[in-house]
Amino acid sequence: MPPTASLAPQALDTGPARPLPSQARGKPAAAAASRNWQRNWQRESARAYGLGLAPALVVLAAITLLPLVTLVVVSLTPLSLTDPAATFHFEQPAGNYAQLLQDQRFVDSLWVQAKLSSVSVLLQLLVGLGLALLLHSSSRVVAGLRTFFLIPMVLPPIVVALVWKIIYTPDISPMHALLEQWGWPLRSLIANPDTALWAIVAADVWQWFPFTMLMVLAQLQMVPRDPVDAARIDGANRWQVFVYIVLPYLQRTLVVCALFRLIDSFKAFPLLYVLTNGGPGTVTEVTNFYGFIQAFNFSYWGYGSAIAVVMLAIIFVLSALVSRLSRAKGDAHAR
């Protein structure tokens, strides 16, 4: 006897279930309410963030923007303590800047600053990079050496200047005493016009090469091992591994170090003030030291402020050029 057909009704495939009219009307309203809630939440979050950040911004403006604006305003005046009647006169706002173009001593200070900054920054990068490569190890002895090499950077600049003042003074210098015992007597390096600037460079490099070393050491920890191991398996020597694999990873870090040290090189005031006071003559008189002389020795505050503004503009231009060059090289390397 054939099986009887099931009396249960068969379900028909009519596609996805359609929402009821009331549900269809409720979904747009719920979506609109959700969007409104998100906008309100973002608005309140931004308001709370701004209120929390406002005190810090006020303090930052008070200690940075206000002095900067004051500096620019004063540079447009012939302000001088020797002539109080000339305070904040704006009849010739570009007078100080026009005078700078005719000031040969200012032009010479720019050349001295260029030599000091370029040589010291280059040597700091080279010495810091070399020591970072030598100290890139997990040994405890190497870790102790890293700490030892960081000592110059944490010393106050005036202490570093006094240390090098002792080293460069023949009567009390251990270096001069040792060289004299070896039969190589040496004149004072900071009193000799031919060596005074390079003596400043040596002291500046000794103080700040640990900055580059520390930054490069941190970046070396992030260099992947796979490309290095593959290159060594293919027969590459240490120099080839460094040039073609390690150095590209360090390029951005070196550029950042160069930017920071380039900016700080314009502020090498303690070394110059303690070691040479801008001398002999004007051999070590860099731009910021010349501005200090004009503002505080001669009381020409307007003229000294103009020198500071020109220095600030030069630093901005150099920083922009180095950053653009770094981005161009990075894009070329990526291609």
Side-chain angles (χ1 to χ4, degrees):
M1 183 175 180
T4 58
S6 174
L7 299 178
Q10 298 294 328
L12 299 177
D13 186 8
T14 59
R18 297 180 180 178
L20 297 177
S22 59
Q23 294 176 339
R25 289 193 300 269
K27 281 190 175 182
S34 177
R35 288 194 297 269
N36 290 334
W37 181 86
Q38 290 179 356
R39 283 195 296 267
N40 292 333
W41 183 84
Q42 292 174 355
R43 189 183 304 113
E44 292 299 324
S45 297
R47 181 172 176 271
Y49 181 77
L51 291 176
L53 197 61
L57 292 177
V58 171
V59 174
L60 186 63
I63 63 177
T64 57
L65 293 181
L66 185 60
L68 177 61
V69 172
T70 304
L71 178 70
V72 175
V73 171
V74 171
S75 71
L76 302 176
T77 69
L79 179 59
S80 171
L81 296 183
T82 61
D83 186 13
T87 303
F88 297 114
H89 287 181
F90 295 94
E91 288 81 3
Q92 294 180 344
N96 291 324
Y97 298 97
Q99 185 178 350
L100 284 176
L101 298 176
Q102 302 174 359
D103 190 349
Q104 186 59 41
R105 189 171 174 180
F106 170 73
V107 176
D108 293 340
S109 72
L110 289 176
W111 173 238
V112 174
Q113 181 71 69
K115 290 190 292 185
L116 175 65
S117 298
S118 59
V119 176
S120 63
V121 171
L122 179 60
L123 290 178
Q124 288 168 31
L125 293 178
L126 294 177
V127 175
L129 175 61
L131 286 176
L133 294 173
L134 292 175
L135 299 177
H136 180 50
S137 173
S138 58
S139 171
R140 292 184 178 181
V141 176
V142 173
L145 288 176
R146 293 177 192 170
T147 305
F148 174 77
F149 281 119
L150 291 178
I151 292 176
M153 188 177 66
V154 300
L155 291 176
I158 193 67
V159 174
V160 174
L162 291 174
V163 168
W164 283 93
K165 182 73 171 182
I166 294 174
I167 293 175
Y168 289 144
T169 304
D171 296 337
I172 58 176
S173 170
M175 180 186 71
H176 282 269
L178 183 61
L179 291 175
E180 189 173 355
Q181 286 183 357
W182 289 349
W184 298 337
L186 186 65
R187 294 175 54 191
S188 176
L189 296 177
I190 56 177
N192 186 352
D194 296 329
T195 59
L197 183 62
W198 311 122
I200 299 293
V201 168
D204 191 56
V205 171
W206 180 82
Q207 182 182 8
W208 291 113
F209 81 85
F211 176 79
T212 302
M213 183 191 73
L214 194 62
M215 296 285 286
V216 174
L217 276 173
Q219 185 63 30
L220 285 173
Q221 306 294 329
M222 303 174 62
V223 175
R225 297 296 308 174
D226 292 342
V228 176
D229 294 338
R232 289 177 176 172
I233 292 174
D234 291 339
N237 55 35
R238 291 185 177 182
W239 175 252
Q240 292 171 332
V241 170
F242 169 72
V243 172
Y244 296 106
I245 298 178
V246 177
L247 189 58
Y249 283 100
L250 301 179
Q251 179 179 346
R252 294 296 180 91
T253 302
L254 292 175
V255 170
V256 171
C257 293
L259 277 176
F260 275 99
R261 293 309 314 140
L262 181 64
I263 294 172
D264 282 343
S265 67
F266 282 78
K267 301 183 295 183
F269 183 85
L271 286 175
L272 295 164
Y273 187 80
V274 173
L275 292 181
T276 64
N277 199 29
T282 58
V283 173
T284 61
E285 188 178 82
V286 295
T287 309
N288 68 339
F289 197 86
Y290 181 55
F292 166 80
I293 292 174
Q294 292 292 330
F296 295 98
N297 288 7
F298 301 149
S299 298
Y300 297 145
W301 285 12
Y303 194 62
S305 299
I307 295 174
V309 171
V310 171
M311 283 186 56
L312 186 63
I314 292 174
I315 291 173
F316 273 122
V317 170
L318 290 177
S319 301
L321 289 176
V322 174
S323 299
R324 180 170 296 183
L325 180 62
S326 172
R327 289 195 297 267
K329 287 187 177 181
D331 295 341
H333 178 72
R335 291 195 296 267

